[in-house]
Amino acid sequence: MTTMTETSARFREFKMPDVGEGLTEAEILKWFVQPGDTVSDGQVVCEVETAKAAVELPIPFDGVVHELRFPEGTTVDVGQVIIAVDVEPGSGDAAPAAAETVQQPVAEAEPEAPKGRQPVLVGYGVAETSTKRRARKGVEVPGPAAAAIQAEINGHGPVAPVTRPLAKPPVRKLAKDLGIDLATVVPTGEGGIITREDVHAAVAPAPAEVASPAVAPAPAAPVAVAADAAGRETRVPVKGVRKAIAQAMVGSAFTAPHVTEFVTLDVTRTMKLVAELKEDKEMAGVRVNPLLIIAKALLVAIRRNPEVNAAWDEANQEIVRKHYVNLGIAAATPRGLIVPNIKDAHDKTLPELAGALGELVTTAREGKTPPAAMAGGTVTITNVGVFGVDTGTPILNPGESAILAVGAIKLQPWVHKGKVKPRQVTTLALSFDHRLVDGELGSKVLADVAAVLEQPKRLITWA
């Protein structure tokens, strides 16, 4: 979609783009530029978090930052202007002068504000054609005389000018989300502007009044709202990745009929193979761990049972057989759970698969996973064993047919060749969509994965 507009030959606006697949909003996590900074085509100006991932946004033209429309921590709809840039700096000050005229009443009420910065904005003002967002400068509805005449014609007599509370768009959205009528909120901001803190205070008045930042950006971290005066409970707004996780898991759990099967197995030979591969020159430079062999075992099982790799098309009432495997790896990140996937994992050699796994994990931990990397998955692995957990009943990633949970690998007594010996043992759990996968097929897939991990030579014989 188009993400920039021209307000004049001099000022250009950059809109929040759709950085994912049909996403409708994103939260501004961090601004990398401030008004007055010079930017160039392709330079990253901010980081935003969508329902899928954190993404850096580059600006598509050169110039000087004129205005940041939203502070950090604000959720912005796709298509809204987030930054205005002066593409012809030094060519005159007609547009800035117009912006100063619009903001003059507030500027006089904020004598301590930094030079050129107006408290009703985050930035240095707006271009002439973008002042429609702040047409409330006098809080009176345009044309009061005409309104009075019309009222007299209707038999109501003269009417007082109509007013509405002063608040920035993000604050209005916050109030709407919390069910607060702005008319009932006592403003503490300069010029009678209602701040985020005022809205929170209307929900649960704080014991001590918090200073209102007239122009400072809101914190990027989620805003916690105390539910009671004693502070025994805290409410955290659900947004971004956490919101997407909640919606996806509820949708999956109540749409796809889940079945989960378990198997406990001896993976001593797999652990020996991992140790040997770490010393192999062919695997130099890539990370080798049990997850690599488990992923390869699952790919072998899917090759032997291709019907498991499918999707349910509810609209057309069809089962879509997929002849490729985009292998998802559930990853816990500071922003929540994400499931990026390795494209065409079935075609990769062991070293290639190891490299792809390492890159996927590193990118996820850094919060740099692009939305495209989380789209189009077919089956997923979730390694709960890293937390010391024996197993679980994983919920399917929406649109996928199966998910394999891997438990902790522990030294346990095990009957081996007729004698009880200490062996490396783990438990696998396979959840699958019973619309697509019946019990026999699901059991075969899980049994094949276990067989490969018990006897890794099957990676060759079954390949």
Side-chain angles (χ1 to χ4, degrees):
M1 61 176 292
T2 302
T3 58
M4 60 181 177
T5 58
E6 295 190 16
T7 59
S8 68
R10 176 175 173 182
F11 292 92
R12 301 180 76 175
E13 296 175 334
F14 180 61
K15 297 180 179 180
M16 177 68 74
D18 178 0
V19 295
E21 298 179 335
L23 298 176
T24 60
E25 63 182 18
E27 178 187 356
I28 297 175
L29 293 179
K30 183 178 179 62
W31 283 108
F32 298 119
V33 297
Q34 293 297 323
D37 291 351
T38 299
V39 295
S40 57
D41 186 355
Q43 178 180 338
V44 173
V45 295
C46 68
E47 181 182 30
V48 301
E49 182 181 46
T50 70
K52 294 186 176 182
V55 181
E56 293 180 340
L57 297 184
I59 198 159
F61 41 79
D62 302 333
V64 174
V65 177
H66 178 59
E67 175 193 7
L68 305 182
R69 293 288 176 86
F70 297 98
E72 294 175 355
T74 304
T75 299
V76 181
D77 292 336
V78 169
Q80 283 190 281
V81 176
I82 59 174
I83 183 173
V85 173
D86 185 350
V87 295
E88 297 179 6
S91 62
D93 56 1
E100 289 172 5
T101 302
V102 171
Q103 299 169 22
Q104 184 175 359
V106 181
E108 294 175 355
E110 180 67 17
E112 287 113 23
K115 183 177 179 181
R117 181 184 285 264
Q118 307 299 333
V120 296
L121 302 173
V122 179
Y124 289 88
V126 298
E128 292 179 76
T129 57
S130 64
T131 55
K132 61 181 182 296
R133 295 177 64 247
R134 295 167 183 80
R136 61 175 184 266
K137 71 169 186 176
V139 306
E140 291 188 5
V141 173
I149 294 172
Q150 185 63 44
E152 289 183 323
I153 293 175
N154 293 338
H156 301 304
V159 295
V162 180
T163 63
R164 70 169 184 157
L166 291 176
K168 299 177 184 178
V171 177
R172 294 187 182 279
K173 184 178 185 301
L174 174 63
K176 179 180 179 182
D177 293 341
L178 297 177
I180 300 299
D181 183 358
L182 287 177
T184 65
V185 178
V186 178
T188 61
E190 294 292 336
I193 296 177
I194 296 173
T195 65
R196 296 175 66 93
E197 288 73 17
D198 296 335
V199 175
H200 293 320
V203 178
E209 187 172 339
V210 180
S212 172
V215 296
V223 180
V225 184
D228 57 21
R232 289 167 59 86
E233 296 180 355
T234 300
R235 293 178 178 266
V236 179
V238 178
K239 55 185 177 179
V241 173
R242 175 56 57 188
K243 181 178 180 180
I245 293 170
Q247 293 173 340
M249 293 300 96
V250 169
S252 176
F254 292 96
T255 300
H258 284 55
V259 173
T260 304
E261 295 185 344
F262 308 88
V263 63
T264 300
L265 62 148
D266 178 2
V267 293
T268 303
R269 290 187 177 91
T270 288
M271 298 305 291
K272 289 181 179 179
L273 175 61
V274 170
E276 292 172 0
L277 289 174
K278 287 182 178 180
E279 303 299 325
D280 194 321
K281 294 181 180 180
E282 295 296 327
M283 302 298 289
V286 296
R287 184 178 181 182
V288 178
N289 55 24
L291 180 61
L292 171 62
I293 308 303
I294 293 168
K296 195 65 176 178
L298 178 58
L299 292 171
V300 169
I302 293 172
R303 182 183 298 125
R304 287 168 55 84
N305 304 276
E307 297 85 359
V308 74
N309 191 39
W312 184 269
D313 186 341
E314 181 67 28
N316 296 314
Q317 288 294 292
E318 294 176 341
I319 293 175
V320 183
R321 305 289 188 197
K322 299 185 178 181
H323 308 298
Y324 59 91
V325 180
N326 290 344
L327 182 61
I329 304 295
T333 73
R335 294 190 177 96
L337 175 71
I338 62 173
V339 189
N341 60 76
I342 301 171
K343 308 298 184 187
D344 295 325
H346 63 290
D347 280 338
K348 297 187 181 298
T349 63
L350 196 63
E352 291 172 343
L353 186 61
L357 274 172
E359 182 180 355
L360 178 149
V361 172
T362 300
T363 303
R365 287 176 178 172
E366 294 175 350
K368 304 299 183 182
T369 303
M374 292 182 283
T378 59
V379 295
T380 291
I381 296 176
T382 176
N383 186 9
V384 297
V386 296
F387 305 109
V389 176
D390 290 335
T391 189
T393 54
I395 298 177
L396 293 168
N397 200 32
E400 299 184 8
S401 60
I403 178 170
L404 179 70
V406 182
I409 299 174
K410 299 179 180 179
L411 195 63
Q412 297 182 17
W414 192 264
V415 178
H416 177 65
K417 295 182 179 180
K419 295 181 180 180
V420 177
K421 296 182 179 181
R423 304 286 288 180
Q424 298 283 352
V425 177
T426 190
T427 299
L428 305 178
L430 182 71
S431 291
F432 49 86
D433 185 342
H434 215 340
R435 297 174 300 178
L436 298 162
V437 183
D438 58 24
E440 180 185 10
L441 178 58
S443 298
K444 286 182 177 179
V445 172
L446 185 57
D448 281 355
V449 174
V452 171
L453 296 178
E454 287 180 328
Q455 296 285 349
K457 65 182 180 181
R458 291 191 172 105
L459 288 173
I460 299 174
T461 59
W462 283 1

